[in-house]
Amino acid sequence: LLVGGWLGFFYWHRSNSTATQKDVDLMNVREILAFVRAVERQDGRYYATVDPVDWLIGDQALLEAQADGLCQAGNTDCINNGFYLRNATTTTEMVLLDPEALIEMQTVSVTASGTPRWAEAITFQSWVDLFNNSSGHWDEIPFRFTVKGGEVTAIREQYLP
C-alpha cells in the first residue's frame, strides 16, 4: 500500500504539474566556447560561423596536449599558463545572433596605463565590425556564447593570458 500510495502521488503530481516558460527557457540554454570564423548577414539576420573548442586546465590540459602531439611525454612547459584550447575537429557551427545580445569584451580597449578595460560592454554593431576588419585578430580569440532558444543572447570575449 505504501509503494502504491507513493506511485499514485508521483503520477498525480507529475500529471498535475506544468513546466513554466522560465523552466523551458532554462532547459534550452547552452554555452559554446569558440573561435569566430565569420559573421554575416542573411535575410536581415546576423549569423556567426563558430569553431567550438574545449578549455582544458592543469593535468588534463597536459595529457590532451600530449595526446594531440603538441608536447613530448614528460615535458610540462609545452602549455602556456596551465591551459590548453583543444580544437579536436574542424567542424563549424552557424549560430543565429540576437542584435540585442549582451556583449562584453576584455581587450577591445585599454586604459592610459595599458591595462585592459575588463568586461567592457560594446554594441552589437561594434562587435560585428570587428570581424569585418581584415587587419583584426579577433578570429584568433575565443568567445563564450550563451545560446538561448536557438539564438545567441550573450557574447563574452575569453581573455587569454
Side-chain angles (χ1 to χ4, degrees):
L1 180 62
L2 183 60
V3 172
W6 172 250
L7 288 175
F9 171 76
F10 178 75
Y11 175 78
W12 173 85
H13 179 70
R14 187 169 162 209
S15 64
N16 288 312
S17 64
T18 58
T20 65
Q21 186 59 44
K22 183 177 179 182
D23 294 332
V24 171
D25 288 346
L26 289 174
M27 290 185 289
N28 291 325
V29 174
R30 69 184 176 115
E31 298 287 327
I32 304 171
L33 176 65
F35 292 104
V36 177
R37 299 301 179 212
V39 176
E40 58 192 85
R41 189 174 182 160
Q42 295 178 10
D43 299 324
R45 303 295 310 262
Y46 281 94
Y47 295 85
T49 302
V50 299
D51 185 3
V53 296
D54 296 315
W55 179 284
L56 305 171
I57 59 172
D59 291 340
Q60 184 182 15
L62 184 60
L63 288 172
E64 295 296 338
Q66 288 172 343
D68 291 346
L70 298 176
C71 302
Q72 297 298 322
N75 180 5
T76 59
D77 296 330
C78 59
I79 55 173
N80 295 324
N81 297 309
F83 74 90
Y84 172 46
L85 289 178
R86 184 171 197 233
N87 193 351
T89 69
T90 58
T91 304
T92 60
E93 176 180 349
M94 185 173 277
V95 292
L96 176 61
L97 303 172
D98 180 349
E100 300 296 320
L102 301 173
I103 302 172
E104 285 187 354
M105 301 294 290
Q106 309 306 320
T107 63
V108 74
S109 67
V110 294
T111 64
S113 65
T115 304
R117 296 180 199 270
W118 303 114
E120 180 178 358
I122 66 169
T123 67
F124 178 77
Q125 191 58 54
S126 295
W127 187 80
V128 168
D129 291 344
L130 293 174
F131 296 95
N132 291 331
N133 180 353
S134 61
S135 65
H137 64 286
W138 300 105
D139 62 336
E140 299 170 12
I141 296 175
F143 288 84
R144 293 191 178 275
F145 295 90
T146 301
V147 182
K148 184 177 177 181
E151 194 168 23
V152 172
T153 59
I155 302 169
R156 181 177 173 91
E157 176 189 354
Q158 175 61 57
Y159 176 72
L160 297 177

